Amino acid sequence: MSRHGPVATFWALSDPLRVDILDRVAGGRSVTVSDLAAELPISRQAVTRHLRTLEEAALLKGERSGRERRYQLDTAAMTEATEWLALRTRSWDAALERLAAFVEPTDQVDETHPPAEPARIEVRRN
């Protein structure tokens, strides 16, 4: 199953072990399944599944090197996710500024829009 975009990135990063794997690769070194299995408290098979998930989310690149596959960090997906977050942040900031301007009282009197009369509620008693 192939995953793309920020959702795939965030889903892949939702597991602490996958984040740990990315941290180990982030130093610029390439690693193999064997390297990671020796360092992590999980089996080779579990490491392979995590690496596959990270590769499908485009967070890692794997290249065949002899009998093994070496993995390196691929920053493109993380950059895309960061840009997606920045866009959402700007959108929410603008919305919150508009809300604050609407809710906060102002000292200026707006002649074009006089204050609304309070609503009258009639209560009928039988």
Side-chain angles (χ1 to χ4, degrees), residues 114-122:
E117 292 290 323
R120 295 185 185 194
I121 300 173
E122 292 183 30

Side-chain angles (χ1 to χ4, degrees), residues 6 10 76-90:
F10 296 129
M78 194 68 78
T79 300
E80 181 183 352
T82 302
E83 290 169 357
W84 183 87
L85 280 174
L87 178 65
R88 296 316 177 273
T89 300
R90 286 191 300 274

Side-chain angles (χ1 to χ4, degrees), residues 8-56:
T9 301
F10 296 129
W11 185 85
L13 293 173
S14 68
D15 187 291
L17 274 170
R18 288 194 287 265
V19 173
D20 189 16
I21 290 169
L22 285 177
D23 286 342
R24 292 169 191 269
V25 177
R29 69 182 187 135
S30 66
V31 296
T32 64
V33 173
S34 300
D35 295 336
L36 291 169
E39 298 173 5
L40 296 170
I42 57 175
S43 68
R44 275 180 61 87
Q45 293 79 13
V47 170
T48 300
R49 284 193 303 270
H50 284 298
L51 289 171
R52 188 177 315 125
T53 299
L54 291 167
E55 193 171 17
E56 287 174 352

